[in-house]
Amino acid sequence: MLQITCPHCGARAESEFHNGGEAHIERPKDPAALTDAEWAEFVFLRDNPKGLLLERWNHTQGCRRWFNVARDTVTYEILAVYPMGSQPPALDPRRYV
Amino acid sequence: MTPRYSVFSLLRNALSYHENWQQAWRSPEPKARYDVIIVGGGGHGLATAYYLAKLHGIKSIAVVERGWLGGGNTGRNTTIVRSNYLWDQSAALYEHAMKLWEGLSQDLNYNVMFSQRGVLNLAHNQHDLRETLRRVNANRLNGIDSEFLNAQQVKEMVPIIDLREGGRYPVLGASLQRRGGTARHDAVAWGYARGADALGVDIIQECAVNGFRIENGKVTGVETSKGLIEADKVGVVTAGHSSVMANMAGFRLPVQSVPLQALVSEPVKPIIDTVVMSGAVHAYVSQSDKGELVIGAGVDGYIGYGQRGSMQVTEETLAAICELFPLFRRMRMLRQWGGIVDVCPDASPILSKTPVQNLYLNCGWGTGGFKATPGSGWAFAHTIAKDEPHELNAAFTLDRFRTGFLIDEHGAAAVAH
Amino acid sequence: MSGYRLSSGGQIDRARPLSFAFDGKRYQGYAGDTLASALLANGVDLFGRSFKYHRPRGLFSAGVEEPNALVTLRSGARAEPNTRATVVELYDGLEASSQNRWPSLAFDVMAMNQLAGPLFSAGFYYKTFMGPTRKAWMLYEYFIRKAAGLGAGTLLPDPDRYEEMNAFCDVLVVGAGPAGLMAATAAASSGARVILADEQSALGGNLRGSASAQENLAGLAALDNVTLLARTTVYGYYDDNTLGAVERVADHVAAPAEGQPRERHWTIRAKQVVLATGAIERPIIFGDNDKPGVMLADAGRLYVERHGVAPGRRVAVFANNDGAYRSVAALTTAGVAVSAIVDARREIGAEAQAIAAASGAELLLGQVVTRALGGQRLSGIEVAAFDPVQGARDGAQRQISADCLLVSGGWTPTIHLASQAGGPARWDDSLTAFLPGEASQPWRAAGACQGTLDSAACFAEGAQAGAEAARACGLSPNPVSLPGAKTEPLADVPLPVWDARPPHGKGKAFVDLQHDVTASDISLAHREGFRSVEHLKRYTTLGMATDQGKTSNVTGLALMARERKLSIPEVGTTRFRPPYTPVSLGALAGQARGSHFRPTRRTAMHDWHVENGAEMQAAGLWLRPRIYAQGSETVEQAYSREARQVRASVGMVDVSTLGKIDVQGLDAAEFLNRVYSNGFLKLPEGKARYGLMLREDGFLWDDGTTWRLSETQFLMTTTTANAAPVLSQLEFLLAAVWPELKVAVTSVTEQWAGMAVSGPKSREVLASVLDDLDMSNEALPFMGVRKGHLNGLPVLVARLSFSGELAYEVYCGAHHGEAVWSRILEAGKPFGMIPYGVEALGTLRIEKGHVAGPELDGRTTAEDLGLAGMTSRKKHYIGSSMLKREGLTDPARLKLVGFVSADGGKIRAGAHLVAANDTSSPPRSLGHITSTTYSPALEKYIALGLLEDGPERVGEKLVATYPLKNIDVDVEVVSSHFFDPEGSRMHV
């Protein structure tokens, strides 16, 4: 069970949280300008990396706030927690082939 | 010529102390080029190679596998086979697989122990009941055997179940596919490998793919840990690693790789004959021929490539199983593990051409991969050989996420994604 | 009959004799015995039968690694199959029985399997049982299943209870032997919160019973910051230093005491972990090495030292390292004669020589045991000269009489937890063993589990690991005094001997005893190409038995390495997975039983519903009234009556389960306008609007009414099922997509109780009971929302209609729910007002053609359901951009229409629609029925469904087919608005 440090509540068990998928996916600012393929890209295509993943989590059983997490998808190690709207800190992730 | 397996060959070899058996498959070094390279030596990849060689007459085929054959989800799943899917397209594909399962041991001359012991999908509330009945009728109209059992009939079939009458999750009924059941997962990989090898397919283990050689939008080879191997066509069947492969080929997938956990108990004498699945409580159970209870959970809630189980998923799953089968509490968990399943947003697979010419993709099977193995390999072989999908997999395109022609099978898996 | 109780010694309480039974025969043991030691003391040597060949098997070990002595402990509902006799603590009245034999353990018919043994090579079942027909396997399988499976599980529900405990600590020490004890002592000296857990019945490991251990443990027990857990197996090492452990609270007694759990599951979150998990001895294999009487050398020592039991009368020893000499010394001390010591090494150290000399045993150096002799039990051994390069020599074999052979092939460190938590194991060539790999979580290993076998060194390593762990927690440990153990001169470095058979040796050489995997099975696997470790395991089943290969894995690897002409680490090791030893499913399921399995959500009016005869049904976690049956009414009669009464007069239904979200802020209207497909910007205060929500990909997601309570406050309602997902989505949009919007959302589902009052008399009823609201059509028009009071209780009243009748929804604080409900019903008495359930609610909405869950199944679009008019073209909202894709506008999509039964037959939910003239078999489905009911208003069966070209087929006759029961009902396609399509009734 992961232990996730909510920026507002502190370290809590994974079961209190909900994963919201890849972070930094920006909703198109000019919706009408996109083709179907570009919309499909925005809605469905996701990075699914083996290694560093930036993702959103919500503290559903606690403060219900969203925040970003940098996590290694192989070791499940949480490398950083940072607020919504900000960029991830510099990280030196492991690389996997 | 690969010698046939039979009780007679077994007797003959017993007399010579089993010292004259041949390798089940060769372990050749890769050639410089092949007509077709299949990336991924799991059940689907090996089946694809087998049917390419057997049905499409392609002589020069290689399967390259990063580790050992069947070491991914083929050897990590809970071995359930059924075809009672809701939508016509899914039903057709899985039912085709079912028909192949029914003759697979004989076709491969390898006992995959396909055991049609029946699969029950329990309904616990009015919503479940309604969905179950809709699916059962849809199955019937698709020519798939499908029955509905009321609670009493479920009890007769599985006497050890606690119907939890009046309880939190009472068993109100169940769908039953009698032709469904289980198979021996490792044997499927080994049987297809042996069968493909006998037809001249080179199976190359411990050969990791590090990239694709793509010229003018067309794939021409595969960069591997054993060097460049040229090919006219390349089929990628790497389940949880499909996104990693797609990235190498320069495109992205609507796929997420998430752990799917399972566990087995210590073996006991036969105690449950059928496969019992419950979507509402996220658990399923069957008993292997060895006597172990094989118990499966839902998928984890986030991307992960660690092939391991986690404590809370185990606890939740076993709570569900022990609710339905309170007599299992004194049995013991022997092993737990995780497989990495690749899940599409509509819970249906992709069996399709790709943006790269002559590069073909077979992925996104989520929790349904094992049961589809023969059908998946069969349809993928056709797609590669003809450079166009078969009617069976025509709907399972990568493009459907753009067009919106989704095949939404959420709820078709015993466990909702 | 070779084991016997020594006249003195052992950590047993000879003053407390205990009576027990094995296979119905009564025996006596003492407190402090295990089932295994007590049976051994009684001369029992046959404990079980092997899995495949049903060969007789005896005790092989004295611990959790036991492959052979599996019994069914207890009987009836508490029966536990496959229980290792070596870890069962004896209690008075204990009952156990042998397994996997028929009719008896001594005479097992299935032992005939041995005759066919040559056929039962590894993986033989993959090569046969394929004919004569495709179905033949099912017959073979029936018998194979019966033969497999070890013990039988109980068929009765477990009467015992299991507890769950969550613990947090600075340092968890796993294993309380020499290293673990010192680690805990050192860590505790810093004030760290320490948990020390050990699987055995008492802490101390190899020091159990010693004065130094007692002193140490007493010191630890006196500390508030230390928790000592005996009988507690730490079985799994999970992410973020979370470990799972099971404490066997009452497994050492006949049944748990009143209020006591059987087992307690611990979830331990530790900042630092010290793994002091010890090592398990491994055997050397030789011909017929499975004969009862062949035992690990250290087990022999433990039976003597711990239980005062001699393992045999003529004991021989076979070793390739000095470890076995500890056992020889122990036996000599206890007065048990050792007749011969066979050691593969040509030279041994002085200390070992001295021990051998003191024992009086004949010392045979440079020789190995090639074969065990005897029938159902060991009677002797064959010994041959051994060459480290060539192996055992063929030819002249000497026979030595023995009823017990203690074997030591070296030690296998117990790296299970380290492997679960860390990287790949590391091979140590001198110890010929795998050691813990690099730690990727904060743990460190100490003692035998990292190859340190000398006691003094274990003490030092443990103390150091404990101190380092405390320091890693930011604490300052004090130096600890190490017990006065002197370094032993014994050399535990083994001479690598795995298979002691000569080239043409006789007898089966078992690698995995429980699964009957032999050395020749491994050769066969190699021959057939199953050469990777995983293929080897899976093809031969090596290491897959209940002992998980604790005494066989390394040997199996070594034999494969020999075949492949590679070193052992080149062949590899498998990653260990939890659990270290098997764990009860009940302990893992824990307290989540019955009503604790999932929470139950009840509305404020729940008790009233139950008291008034409601049949409750589950909707997600909620319980809702389905019908309020009167007398012997069927479901259909009940809901028909209820629906009829609503249309005739007035009724009330509990709608508290709808999701309710409070949306507030300066930009609340703008936010809703982006979330709903229809317009919300201009919704006036005091008005409600029905809204549709789409997924981003354009499919329909949820619907509900949202009420504007003020300029900046809205009350949104959602479907019951989507209450939580919608809230999450709104929060997500505000946090990630539109952080600039000044809006806050909060779930108020639990805070409001809601009830819908429907029917032509609803206005009169409410007017009579509301204190301060003008209920006239002018003052409270359709979709109007007002705040008011009902008998002094604050309420929100909205004029909404799901039933198509004049209707209102009344919301009040959940605390007032039952009071408001009761008062409204009281006021409705003169009108014959009734409560109605979700069945009648469904009937009323189907009659109106309103969509609900069955239609909003996540696969339909607004256009499919005839709601295209609600998808605005003037604005952008979630889902708008992907709504017009070809897959969503395809003319072939199924569309919502109504159906009426043409022949009076019942239309079943789940029926499919086929053309009346479709004679193909099976016919082609044109769509399916989603919702169905008997309509009291129309006096016939009606349904909603999704149909190809639906609206164009109105007036057509189709068949609603239900192949499951071969029922076909003729139906006519009609508009989905069955009843009062103009909506005149709700606008009065």
Side-chain angles (χ1 to χ4, degrees):
Chain A
M1 181 165 339
L2 300 182
Q3 204 153 251
I4 299 172
T5 304
C6 169
H8 312 288
C9 308
R12 295 288 189 279
E14 172 191 331
S15 49
E16 293 189 11
F17 297 85
H18 174 76
N19 180 279
E22 189 178 348
H24 307 295
I25 301 274
E26 202 167 326
R27 198 165 191 282
K29 292 275 185 255
D30 182 8
L34 270 64
T35 63
D36 282 357
E38 287 165 332
W39 269 106
E41 164 114 17
F42 159 68
V43 174
F44 293 118
L45 298 195
R46 288 292 178 268
D47 277 351
N48 186 27
K50 201 175 171 186
L52 176 67
L53 174 65
L54 306 177
E55 59 191 0
R56 295 162 172 145
W57 285 81
N58 183 253
H59 193 189
T60 35
Q61 308 289 315
C63 63
R64 294 198 65 89
R65 303 273 286 274
W66 285 89
F67 53 94
N68 293 314
V69 168
R71 185 172 62 90
D72 186 311
T73 60
V74 177
T75 62
Y76 298 176
E77 189 184 352
I78 291 174
L79 306 167
V81 172
Y82 58 101
M84 295 298 281
S86 66
Q87 288 304 305
L91 295 165
D92 181 24
R94 282 200 192 88
R95 302 208 176 274
Y96 305 89
V97 176
Chain B
M1 187 66 203
T2 305
R4 282 189 69 75
Y5 288 157
S6 69
V7 67
F8 304 108
S9 71
L10 196 60
L11 276 168
R12 201 166 51 242
N13 277 285
L15 295 177
S16 55
Y17 302 99
H18 299 287
E19 284 180 4
N20 295 318
W21 288 109
Q22 293 188 14
Q23 284 184 54
W25 54 84
R26 298 161 296 126
S27 296
E29 283 304 306
K31 296 178 192 139
R33 76 166 296 286
Y34 291 91
D35 292 346
V36 179
I37 292 177
I38 302 298
V39 181
H44 289 228
L46 293 163
T48 305
Y50 174 76
Y51 293 117
L52 270 172
K54 184 178 174 184
L55 302 179
H56 300 281
I58 296 175
K59 297 288 174 231
S60 166
I61 304 169
V63 176
V64 294
E65 164 57 45
R66 180 177 61 135
W68 38 279
L69 296 186
N73 294 339
T74 304
R76 293 172 186 276
N77 68 85
T78 50
T79 79
I80 298 168
V81 175
R82 62 190 176 90
S83 64
N84 55 353
Y85 278 69
L86 176 65
W87 295 111
D88 293 353
Q89 299 97 323
S90 319
L93 187 53
Y94 283 100
E95 177 60 16
H96 185 70
M98 177 69 84
K99 293 204 169 83
L100 291 171
W101 276 115
E102 287 175 321
L104 195 59
S105 292
Q106 291 72 26
D107 184 26
L108 296 176
N109 179 232
Y110 204 88
N111 188 357
V112 299
M113 305 183 190
F114 178 50
S115 174
Q116 294 179 299
R117 48 189 56 259
V119 175
L120 285 166
N121 290 82
L122 302 181
H124 297 283
N125 54 42
Q126 295 299 322
H127 170 82
D128 280 359
L129 271 182
R130 192 174 61 223
E131 291 292 308
T132 301
L133 289 169
R134 175 182 168 194
R135 182 166 48 79
V136 167
N137 284 307
N139 292 157
R140 292 275 185 110
L141 292 178
N142 277 316
I144 295 169
D145 71 306
S146 196
E147 296 169 42
F148 180 80
L149 304 188
N150 63 30
Q152 205 44 50
Q153 290 168 316
V154 171
K155 182 82 181 167
E156 280 161 26
M157 189 154 188
V158 188
I160 60 169
I161 201 167
D162 184 340
L163 297 176
R164 313 220 56 78
E165 289 152 286
R168 197 68 187 81
Y169 283 83
V171 176
L172 303 182
S175 74
L176 167 65
Q177 186 179 22
R178 288 191 194 272
R179 284 161 69 236
T182 57
R184 170 85 190 126
H185 54 11
D186 290 329
V188 175
W190 301 340
Y192 272 120
R194 178 168 168 270
D197 176 87
L199 295 169
V201 173
D202 280 358
I203 295 169
I204 303 157
Q205 297 184 78
E206 295 179 63
C207 179
V209 169
N210 302 322
F212 297 97
R213 197 173 73 182
I214 295 166
E215 292 167 302
N216 303 322
K218 186 171 168 180
V219 71
T220 58
V222 177
E223 303 280 359
T224 77
S225 56
K226 299 193 178 193
L228 172 75
I229 313 175
E230 292 180 30
D232 291 346
K233 294 177 175 181
V234 177
V236 174
V237 205
T238 56
H241 286 79
S242 298
S243 294
V244 178
M245 289 292 139
N247 284 350
M248 289 179 191
F251 57 96
R252 295 212 295 171
L253 295 177
V255 158
Q256 305 226 310
S257 294
V258 291
L260 174 64
Q261 299 188 29
L263 62 97
V264 295
S265 75
E266 293 182 341
V268 290
K269 292 291 176 194
I271 196 164
I272 179 166
D273 285 336
T274 47
V275 181
V276 177
M277 316 178 73
S278 167
V281 297
H282 285 217
Y284 42 99
V285 62
S286 65
Q287 188 175 18
S288 73
D289 286 345
K290 217 169 100 188
E292 296 166 339
L293 296 178
V294 184
I295 293 171
V299 293
D300 284 8
Y302 48 85
I303 293 174
Y305 286 86
Q307 290 177 324
R308 59 183 187 267
S310 75
M311 196 200 297
Q312 88 270 18
V313 171
T314 304
E315 288 181 323
E316 283 163 18
T317 304
L318 288 175
I321 290 292
C322 290
E323 275 295 280
L324 289 169
F325 302 99
L327 72 173
F328 287 168
R329 283 199 203 104
R330 290 187 99 86
M331 291 183 58
R332 302 188 194 96
M333 174 172 85
L334 183 57
R335 276 191 306 279
Q336 68 170 137
W337 67 91
I340 309 304
V341 298
D342 41 327
V343 183
C344 281
D346 61 354
S348 286
I350 296 167
L351 248 166
S352 169
K353 298 170 74 164
T354 70
V356 178
Q357 224 182 317
N358 289 4
L359 183 70
Y360 308 85
L361 181 68
N362 181 347
C363 71
W365 289 94
T367 58
F370 180 72
K371 58 185 72 67
T373 305
S376 161
W378 191 94
F380 198 44
H382 179 101
T383 307
I384 294 171
K386 309 282 187 210
D387 192 36
E388 63 181 11
H390 187 270
E391 192 185 334
L392 278 176
N393 62 308
F396 295 91
T397 62
L398 185 52
D399 199 37
R400 70 179 186 270
F401 299 96
R402 179 185 64 80
T403 61
F405 285 107
L406 301 182
I407 307 157
D408 191 342
E409 284 286 359
H410 284 107
V415 178
H417 300 112
Chain C
M1 308 297 262
S2 48
Y4 60 95
R5 181 78 67 184
L6 296 165
S7 55
S8 64
Q11 297 159 32
I12 50 170
D13 186 349
R14 289 173 197 258
R16 281 178 58 206
L18 305 171
S19 167
F20 70 102
F22 179 58
D23 276 347
K25 193 170 171 205
R26 300 220 70 86
Y27 299 95
Q28 202 193 61
Y30 295 108
D33 262 326
T34 61
L35 175 59
S37 70
L39 285 170
L40 188 65
N42 280 283
V44 172
D45 44 43
L46 189 53
F47 280 73
R49 291 274 173 174
S50 68
F51 192 75
K52 193 155 78 173
Y53 300 124
H54 288 254
R55 285 169 69 108
R57 292 286 165 81
L59 275 182
F60 189 65
S61 76
V64 296
E65 67 272 32
E66 179 60 36
N68 286 342
L70 304 186
V71 301
T72 297
L73 184 64
R74 302 189 177 89
S75 57
R78 290 198 166 92
E80 288 156 50
N82 310 333
T83 304
R84 290 151 292 171
T86 49
V87 298
V88 174
E89 293 175 54
L90 199 67
Y91 57 82
D92 201 43
L94 180 148
E95 284 175 43
S97 48
S98 58
Q99 314 183 140
N100 203 27
R101 80 289 183 266
W102 188 85
S104 75
L105 188 54
F107 179 75
D108 178 7
V109 170
M110 292 297 282
M112 283 191 314
N113 279 0
Q114 288 178 70
L115 296 177
L119 283 180
F120 293 173
S121 56
F124 73 97
Y125 27 75
Y126 300 126
K127 296 171 181 162
T128 181
F129 302 124
M130 287 178 279
T133 66
R134 284 177 169 195
K135 288 269 186 189
W137 167 246
M138 297 296 291
L139 181 68
Y140 299 125
E141 191 189 35
Y142 173 80
F143 291 102
I144 288 171
R145 283 171 83 88
K146 280 187 80 138
L150 296 176
T154 175
L155 292 176
L156 302 168
D158 184 355
D160 292 338
R161 209 167 56 76
Y162 300 81
E163 263 181 22
E164 290 169 56
M165 187 75 101
N166 281 284
F168 298 80
C169 66
D170 295 312
V171 181
L172 167 67
V173 181
V174 185
L181 270 181
M182 292 319 297
T185 306
S189 73
S190 70
R193 292 172 303 163
V194 174
I195 296 176
L196 174 62
D198 193 286
E199 63 189 359
Q200 295 193 20
S201 57
L203 303 181
N206 262 333
L207 300 176
R208 265 173 72 171
S210 75
S212 75
Q214 295 303 344
E215 194 185 324
N216 221 320
L217 284 166
L220 286 171
L223 296 175
D224 286 341
N225 57 330
V226 176
T227 304
L228 300 177
L229 294 173
R231 300 191 176 99
T232 303
T233 303
V234 180
Y235 68 84
Y237 203 137
Y238 298 94
D239 295 320
D240 280 342
N241 252 26
T242 306
L243 293 95
V246 173
E247 180 185 2
R248 289 174 299 280
V249 180
D251 272 352
H252 59 293
V253 291
E258 181 77 29
Q260 195 180 36
R262 175 189 169 215
E263 293 176 346
R264 183 176 291 132
H265 183 272
W266 289 74
T267 303
I268 305 174
R269 291 183 178 81
K271 287 186 188 155
Q272 296 285 324
V273 172
V274 176
L275 298 175
T277 45
I280 291 170
E281 200 167 24
R282 71 169 85 109
I284 304 169
I285 63 168
F286 46 86
D288 293 330
N289 56 333
D290 63 329
K291 290 245 181 276
V294 177
M295 186 186 285
L296 290 170
D298 201 52
R301 177 184 69 82
L302 284 170
Y303 286 119
V304 169
E305 288 189 343
R306 198 169 281 176
H307 305 292
V309 180
R313 294 179 192 277
R314 296 187 311 282
V315 180
V317 174
F318 175 27
N320 63 353
N321 70 94
D322 278 1
Y325 292 80
R326 287 194 194 93
S327 303
V328 174
L331 265 63
T332 307
T333 307
V336 182
V338 179
S339 55
I341 301 172
V342 183
D343 198 318
R345 298 173 295 177
R346 286 178 179 159
E347 288 171 19
I348 58 172
E351 181 78 4
Q353 284 204 23
I355 291 171
S359 72
E362 181 184 0
L363 184 59
L364 299 143
L365 293 179
Q367 305 199 40
V368 290
V369 175
T370 55
R371 188 179 167 207
L373 305 169
Q376 280 217 350
R377 73 143 12 264
L378 186 74
S379 64
I381 52 176
E382 278 187 355
V383 174
F386 178 78
D387 177 282
V389 181
Q390 307 291 327
R393 303 233 177 96
D394 270 332
Q397 308 253 337
R398 185 179 150 195
Q399 294 198 349
I400 296 171
S401 163
D403 63 358
C404 173
L405 177 67
L406 299 183
V407 187
S408 175
W411 294 90
T412 300
T414 306
I415 60 169
H416 297 68
L417 294 177
S419 167
Q420 290 172 28
R426 173 168 59 87
W427 177 255
D428 183 302
D429 225 11
S430 73
L431 291 171
T432 57
F434 284 103
L435 301 181
E438 207 174 306
S440 58
Q441 296 211 50
W443 56 261
R444 60 208 81 224
C449 76
Q450 63 168 357
T452 306
L453 294 161
D454 174 69
S455 302
C458 284
F459 287 134
E461 262 184 35
Q464 190 187 340
E468 282 173 9
R471 274 194 286 273
C473 297
L475 300 164
S476 308
N478 299 322
V480 293
S481 60
L482 302 178
K486 58 176 192 290
T487 302
E488 296 171 34
L490 288 173
D492 285 290
V493 176
L495 176 73
V497 185
W498 305 99
D499 182 354
R501 289 175 308 161
H504 300 289
K506 288 182 187 160
K508 281 187 180 298
F510 289 91
V511 181
D512 182 323
L513 287 162
Q514 192 182 131
H515 266 170
D516 283 338
V517 179
T518 63
S520 46
D521 286 329
I522 292 171
S523 302
L524 176 62
H526 174 260
R527 196 170 299 130
E528 296 192 281
F530 297 92
R531 292 169 188 175
S532 79
V533 183
E534 283 291 335
H535 281 164
L536 168 67
K537 279 176 62 177
R538 288 158 183 262
Y539 193 60
T540 64
T541 73
L542 171 78
M544 308 283 270
T546 63
D547 60 331
Q548 293 280 288
K550 290 190 175 62
T551 58
S552 62
N553 277 339
V554 180
T555 310
L557 272 179
L559 296 190
M560 181 53 86
R562 180 176 70 180
E563 296 281 357
R564 293 182 64 180
K565 301 185 171 58
L566 295 173
S567 69
I568 290 171
E570 284 173 307
V571 173
T573 178
T574 55
R575 178 105 187 247
F576 288 97
R577 309 213 173 271
Y580 156 61
T581 51
V583 176
S584 314
L585 304 192
L588 290 161
Q591 286 151 248
R593 291 176 56 181
S595 59
H596 296 288
F597 174 54
R598 291 282 191 278
T600 303
R601 299 179 78 180
R602 299 182 179 89
T603 73
M605 291 81 94
H606 178 87
D607 292 348
W608 189 96
H609 300 318
V610 173
E611 280 161 26
N612 286 274
E615 178 190 315
M616 303 302 287
Q617 83 174 34
L621 296 177
W622 288 102
L623 290 179
R624 304 187 69 181
R626 185 181 185 200
I627 48 167
Y628 301 83
Q630 294 182 354
S632 57
E633 275 181 336
T634 63
V635 172
E636 185 176 308
Q637 286 166 340
Y639 76 68
S640 298
R641 173 184 50 74
E642 290 173 9
R644 204 177 282 121
Q645 184 64 7
V646 169
R647 298 224 186 276
S649 177
V650 61
M652 183 162 66
V653 62
D654 186 348
V655 294
S656 305
T657 63
L658 293 179
K660 296 178 277 294
I661 299 170
D662 188 81
V663 183
Q664 291 197 45
L666 291 175
D667 298 319
E670 171 64 26
F671 178 55
L672 293 173
N673 203 47
R674 295 183 190 183
V675 166
Y676 279 122
S677 71
N678 49 327
F680 270 77
L681 271 182
K682 292 179 189 149
L683 179 66
E685 270 181 61
K687 274 280 199 178
R689 183 164 292 168
Y690 174 70
L692 281 187
M693 260 185 230
L694 272 48
R695 290 197 313 237
E696 192 74 270
D697 69 354
F699 285 88
L700 260 184
W701 187 36
D702 202 59
D703 69 345
T705 59
T706 285
W707 316 356
R708 189 161 201 168
L709 303 181
S710 77
E711 175 65 24
T712 56
Q713 185 183 15
F714 293 79
L715 179 65
M716 171 190 281
T717 67
T718 74
T719 59
T720 300
N722 277 335
V726 167
L727 177 68
S728 285
Q729 165 77 347
L730 298 183
E731 288 171 336
F732 174 76
L733 292 170
L734 289 170
V737 180
W738 304 309
E740 71 280 7
L741 291 184
K742 294 185 176 63
V743 181
V745 293
T746 311
S747 168
V748 290
T749 304
E750 308 270 337
Q751 280 67 28
W752 291 106
M755 51 214 89
V757 181
S758 317
K761 300 295 181 194
S762 57
R763 179 179 285 144
E764 281 175 71
V765 171
L766 286 177
S768 75
V769 76
L770 284 163
D771 305 338
D772 47 6
L773 280 184
D774 179 353
M775 296 297 287
S776 69
N777 191 36
E778 296 70 34
L780 182 50
F782 186 60
M783 299 307 273
V785 182
R786 296 288 179 274
K787 289 176 186 167
H789 291 83
L790 187 150
N791 285 181
L793 304 174
V795 292
L796 272 177
V797 179
R799 188 172 158 193
L800 309 171
S801 180
F802 197 43
S803 59
E805 297 299 321
L806 175 67
Y808 302 85
E809 288 189 10
V810 180
Y811 279 22
C812 64
H815 291 321
H816 299 149
E818 191 171 331
V820 169
W821 172 274
S822 303
R823 284 174 203 184
I824 294 173
L825 266 187
E826 185 66 31
K829 255 191 184 160
F831 304 97
M833 187 176 187
I834 51 142
Y836 63 97
V838 292
E839 289 285 349
L841 180 79
T843 298
L844 294 166
R845 70 102 185 160
I846 294 168
E847 287 178 338
K848 288 297 296 175
H850 291 319
V851 296
E855 291 79 33
L856 292 166
D857 66 352
R859 296 155 177 152
T860 49
T861 66
E863 193 180 340
D864 296 344
L865 302 189
L867 298 169
M870 291 191 64
T871 54
S872 169
R873 291 165 185 223
K874 296 181 196 143
K875 62 166 187 174
H876 175 75
Y877 54 89
I878 297 289
S880 60
S881 296
M882 301 186 79
L883 182 60
K884 297 293 171 197
R885 294 181 297 155
E886 53 196 286
L888 282 75
T889 53
D890 184 27
R893 290 190 65 84
L894 308 184
K895 302 257 173 22
L896 183 76
V897 281
F899 301 89
V900 295
S901 167
D903 57 8
K906 182 174 180 170
I907 309 173
R908 289 165 183 270
H912 285 252
L913 299 153
V914 297
N917 55 3
D918 189 343
T919 52
S920 52
S921 177
R924 192 174 89 81
S925 171
L926 302 171
H928 62 274
I929 298 294
T930 52
S931 301
T932 175
T933 186
Y934 175 75
S935 166
L938 280 70
E939 295 185 326
K940 53 182 130 187
Y941 287 97
I942 62 169
L944 296 175
L946 293 163
L947 181 66
E948 263 178 33
D949 303 325
E952 285 86 69
R953 288 183 193 259
V954 167
E956 247 181 69
K957 298 270 197 296
L958 295 175
V959 174
T961 185
Y962 199 80
L964 177 58
K965 299 203 164 167
N966 281 321
I967 295 173
D968 287 346
V969 177
D970 292 332
V971 294
E972 185 186 336
V973 183
V974 296
S975 155
S976 57
H977 306 291
F978 297 91
F979 181 73
D980 185 29
E982 309 78 36
S984 58
R985 296 175 67 91
M986 60 187 182
H987 287 290
V988 292

